[in-house]
Amino acid sequence: MSTLSNAASRGLGRLWGRKDRNTHVEEAPEVSYDDDDQKHEPEHLSDTSKDPDSNDPSVRKRREAPPLVRDLAPEERDRLERALVKKIDLRLLPMLIIMYLMNYLDRNNIAAARLAGLQEELDLEDTQYLTCVSILFVGYILMQVPSNLFLNKIGKPAIYLPVCMIVWGVISAATAAANSFGGLVAIRFFLGFVEAAYFPGCLFFLSSWYTRKELGFRTAILYSGSLMSGAFSGLITAGITANLDYKRGLRAWRWLFIIEGVITIAIAMAAFFVLPNFPRTTTWLTENERQLAVWRLDEDIGEDDWVGSEKQTFGHGMKLAFADIKMWVLMVLVFCFVASGTVTNLFPTIVQTLGYSNIISLLLTVPPYVLGVITTFCNSWHADRTGERYFHVTIPLYFAVIAFIIAAATTKTAPRYLSMMLMIPGVYTGYVVALAWISNTLPRPPAKVQFCHHPSPG
């Protein structure tokens, strides 16, 4: 019975990334994190956790902390780590948020463009307009997994993500040249194809810099970009519709795509000079900071992060993901979230049913997204503080269900707008925690994480 209990303890310890107190640990040779000394780079712990010379399955290897980290006193280590996380936050998050804001804005501005004359000028039927909206997701779904695996292979997010952003900015601006249903469908398909690289890649990117207890709030901060884009979209479209409609012979919706596409390209150019790659390969940290950044992730998960492209294969990552039941469960969870979140694709049209003018309707789309940003931050912060995920994911959904019921059950203006205020926060407040849950549950190895980080486009 004792043997069975020890085995169960070791199994649970490996499942949740905790160290096993009942396991005899054999020290491995000291590891250097110098990029120039490739021959000393460690393999993933999943490949070397067992001692090949030992017949005892309870004997496992554990790498030592690098010298600059090992010699730190606990108080000094804590102080340096807090300073490191703050430095990483300031370097990564502002640019990632702005890039994701433009990613979501370029994807969903067709909903606001409908009120700015797009459907009228192109003479689209309702079914044709909805086809133009949904065809983006076909390209998005097709490209998510290949893009993530390719990013993991090359290990250069600082180059890959801005390049993708420039391409989708050009495509988004080209939407202004659409003159028919067929042209708009083709543009939207390729826009989704390229935009698919960004958000799944960002989730992996964050998991390569932050520990599990830090991921939830950082994911919420990143996702706030999409929620803020909903608010900005209404404001920008209202301003363009009021001031630029028919300027130089162009309708307001064409100006919308041109202006937002040019802004996207400009931001992507700046991102080349701001975004880093991975902790192991970055150049903007000191040697002490770099060793600490790498080691704290190794210590948190019990497995090394991205080391080199030769250790990342598409087939290996796919095989690991398909064999993990947790990946399938989380896939169903995200699918259900995204099915509920499709309300954002037609949100300006839904608000317009209240009976106000186009400009007023666009302005009324702003408050629900602002509330969504606030509730998302609060919920994710509390989830990280408590370490609890399930209720932080499900409780907001109860409010979403109530909102949808109210919207369907009454025709009065005040209750219907109340339901619209609850729709966005009800769906996305829990969705952000669910995305962090994926990173917590499937933290390593990178090839597997990249395959699993492909949430639906929303």
Side-chain angles (χ1 to χ4, degrees), residues 73-319:
E75 297 79 8
E76 181 69 7
R77 158 82 185 266
D78 185 58
R79 184 186 66 81
L80 291 177
E81 189 162 353
R82 286 199 304 269
L84 173 64
V85 172
K86 183 177 180 180
K87 187 174 182 179
I88 294 171
D89 285 343
L90 292 175
R91 181 69 179 241
L92 266 65
L93 294 181
M95 180 55 71
L96 291 180
I97 291 170
I98 294 172
M99 292 174 73
Y100 192 42
L101 188 153
M102 298 310 302
N103 178 274
Y104 218 81
L105 200 61
D106 291 337
R107 182 193 319 172
N108 283 356
N109 53 12
I110 191 173
R114 187 182 195 183
L115 300 189
L118 180 146
Q119 185 172 1
E120 175 189 347
E121 185 173 8
L122 297 187
D123 194 24
L124 301 178
E125 298 179 0
D126 287 344
T127 54
Q128 290 178 318
Y129 170 78
L130 293 175
T131 300
C132 294
V133 172
S134 59
I135 195 65
L136 176 141
F137 304 139
V138 176
Y140 199 105
I141 292 170
L142 289 175
M143 192 58 183
Q144 281 187 99
V145 174
S147 173
N148 252 18
L149 293 174
F150 180 71
L151 172 58
N152 183 59
K153 184 69 177 178
I154 64 174
K156 298 289 184 182
I159 297 175
Y160 182 68
L161 296 179
V163 166
C164 290
M165 188 176 186
I166 290 174
V167 175
W168 92 59
V170 171
I171 296 174
S172 179
T175 308
N179 289 307
S180 65
F181 167 66
L184 187 58
V185 166
I187 291 172
R188 292 284 295 175
F189 173 81
F190 286 108
L191 179 63
F193 198 79
V194 179
E195 281 203 354
Y198 188 72
F199 188 52
C202 272
L203 291 181
F204 171 72
F205 191 31
L206 290 179
S207 71
S208 300
W209 280 94
Y210 293 102
T211 63
R212 288 175 296 177
K213 69 179 181 180
E214 299 164 348
L215 265 179
F217 188 59
R218 271 71 183 184
T219 303
I221 293 175
L222 171 65
Y223 205 80
S224 69
S226 72
L227 298 175
M228 286 189 293
S229 75
F232 280 116
S233 179
L235 292 173
I236 293 171
T237 308
I240 292 175
T241 301
N243 298 290
L244 290 180
D245 202 14
Y246 290 108
K247 290 289 184 179
R248 298 185 179 274
L250 298 178
R251 291 297 308 270
W253 70 270
R254 296 187 188 272
W255 283 113
L256 176 67
F257 286 108
I258 292 172
I259 292 171
E260 292 181 357
V262 170
I263 293 174
T264 298
I265 296 171
I267 292 172
M269 294 292 188
F272 278 113
F273 303 98
V274 176
L275 290 183
N277 288 308
F278 296 115
R280 180 180 296 279
T281 58
T282 191
T283 58
W284 57 276
L285 295 176
T286 66
E287 180 61 25
N288 285 22
E289 291 171 333
R290 193 158 62 98
Q291 290 194 19
L292 180 57
V294 173
W295 176 251
R296 72 193 202 98
L297 296 174
D298 194 336
E299 190 177 48
D300 179 55
I301 303 301
E303 186 164 340
D304 198 15
D305 195 62
W306 196 93
V307 175
S309 61
E310 70 279 358
K311 297 180 175 64
Q312 318 299 326
T313 64
F314 297 167
H316 181 57
M318 185 181 300
K319 181 179 178 181

